[in-house]
Amino acid sequence: MPNLSPKQVEDFHRDGFIVIKNFCSAAETQKLLNTAIEDRNLINNALDLNDQTGKKTKLSLWFKPGKDVFGYLTRSKKVIEAVAELLDSDAQVCHFHSKLMQKEPKVGGAWEWHQDYGYWYKNQFMFPDQLISVMVALTPANKANGCLQVIKGSHKLGRVNHGFAGEQVGADIAMVENALKTMELVYSEIEAGDALIFHSNLLHRSEANLSDHPRWSIISCYSSQSNLAYNETSTSWKTPVDVVPNEAILNWESAPTVDADFLKKENDPALKATGWEG
Ligand SMILES: O=C(O)CCC(=O)C(=O)O
Ligand SMILES: [Fe+2]
């Protein structure tokens, strides 16, 4: 039984993204949000990333999905089946990394226009069509609190050059402006529990959160096992996901995230100059 309809698959290939409403139930979303708020490891391993104006986005990033509620979500049958249908490979699905994104009221920073493959090219992943991101909203995301914006169809541009924009890596703004002349900018306003699945070359950004409401989400990135990365020391990206039933999210006991292999800022090639920029 396919997880996605033929129309969803077609939309993804044409537009570079799809939104799946109520991908997580209210109870699942609440459990994820509570864990995000209460789990000391997630909090202690959060990195602050400055945007160009000094506003900060907080993110915790880990590689190997564990036996906690986030691990169960990222390994769940519903996520892995959807991803498998959209990746350009019949090989098994591997989990590259997940990030808990916390854009706090008034202080949550912006993300510059970029393609995720703009980062992952630095990891020397070979195939952008075998890399994908799944964003699940843990709180409502809208224009006021800095929801994700995407340029519809921009994954078809291929990878554009990226250079540093503050502490972040940003796409060549000339190419972004050209794209915006003919392609539609879409504000991905979604509710808690909705999922946005997008291609690694889709141009996207988000503005600062100037509202009184948090914008929290989890973004999980997947790669096919046939996609090799020659500059990546973590190993989860080449390890097929140990898939769990969807019920695990709500019903299985959630272990602490203490053993998770969290990213330290200095170890991320995407945050370092390689000389390949520009
Ligand atoms: O959460 C956001 O607003 C964007 C984050 C993002 O695009 C990324 O981490 O690659
Ligand atoms: Fe991104």
Side-chain angles (χ1 to χ4, degrees):
M1 186 70 183
N3 198 1
L4 298 177
S5 68
K7 177 165 187 314
Q8 285 174 310
V9 175
E10 193 187 310
D11 288 352
F12 176 83
H13 291 302
R14 187 190 57 239
D15 301 337
F17 69 97
I18 49 171
V19 172
I20 306 179
K21 304 294 294 172
N22 302 310
F23 188 75
C24 286
S25 68
E28 288 172 343
T29 312
Q30 194 57 53
K31 190 169 176 183
L32 290 160
L33 183 61
N34 288 346
T35 306
I37 293 168
E38 288 159 14
D39 188 294
R40 298 306 313 166
N41 285 303
L42 281 174
I43 297 162
N44 293 341
N45 282 288
L47 308 174
D48 272 331
L49 208 57
N50 288 309
D51 72 7
Q52 303 220 69
T53 67
K55 284 204 175 330
K56 291 184 196 325
T57 289
K58 242 185 212 327
L59 69 93
S60 312
L61 185 155
W62 62 95
F63 296 94
K64 187 173 182 296
K67 295 186 169 138
D68 56 278
V69 65
F70 283 105
Y72 296 147
L73 171 72
T74 53
R75 297 195 281 130
S76 65
K77 193 163 176 284
K78 61 182 172 184
V79 170
I80 301 303
E81 282 187 354
V83 163
E85 280 175 56
L86 298 174
L87 289 174
D88 181 35
S89 171
D90 293 331
Q92 283 184 279
V93 174
C94 305
H95 172 267
F96 178 26
H97 61 239
S98 285
K99 331 183 236 202
L100 174 68
M101 315 294 289
Q102 296 157 262
K103 269 172 88 154
E104 298 292 30
K106 307 286 186 205
V107 298
W111 286 82
E112 307 302 329
W113 282 115
H114 68 276
Q115 299 165 315
D116 289 343
Y117 191 62
Y119 307 158
W120 303 336
Y121 182 82
K122 292 190 173 197
N123 302 106
Q124 297 178 32
F125 274 105
M126 295 173 74
F127 300 117
D129 294 341
Q130 296 185 28
L131 285 160
I132 199 164
S133 295
V134 180
M135 176 184 227
V136 176
L138 301 180
T139 65
N142 45 47
K143 275 188 191 171
N145 68 5
C147 68
L148 210 72
Q149 301 170 30
V150 306
I151 304 180
K152 194 170 174 176
S154 57
H155 62 308
K156 296 201 172 157
L157 294 168
R159 185 186 74 91
V160 307
N161 281 339
H162 284 67
F164 277 91
E167 273 193 316
Q168 298 180 18
V169 174
D172 183 340
I173 203 64
M175 290 301 280
V176 172
E177 283 167 3
N178 293 344
L180 284 169
K181 287 184 184 143
T182 54
M183 302 165 97
E184 188 186 345
L185 188 159
V186 177
Y187 285 80
S188 173
E189 297 199 281
I190 55 180
E191 297 301 322
D194 295 349
L196 170 75
I197 306 185
F198 57 102
H199 187 281
S200 71
N201 268 335
L202 187 76
L203 282 164
H204 58 284
R205 74 160 172 187
S206 65
E207 285 165 44
N209 180 2
L210 302 178
S211 78
D212 295 326
H213 304 283
R215 201 215 85 189
W216 285 28
S217 50
I218 172 165
I219 306 181
S220 300
C221 310
Y222 296 90
S223 180
S224 303
Q225 204 185 17
S226 48
N227 195 12
L228 302 179
Y230 287 91
N231 184 31
E232 177 52 47
T233 52
S234 66
T235 55
S236 176
W237 64 270
K238 55 183 169 183
T239 312
V241 171
D242 184 7
V243 181
V244 299
N246 297 338
E247 301 77 63
I249 303 168
L250 272 187
N251 298 338
W252 288 16
E253 195 179 329
S254 183
T257 57
V258 67
D259 296 330
D261 45 352
F262 286 101
L263 173 77
K264 306 279 177 271
K265 207 171 186 175
E266 62 275 17
N267 293 339
D268 186 356
L271 299 175
K272 281 188 208 145
T274 57
W276 308 339
E277 290 84 17

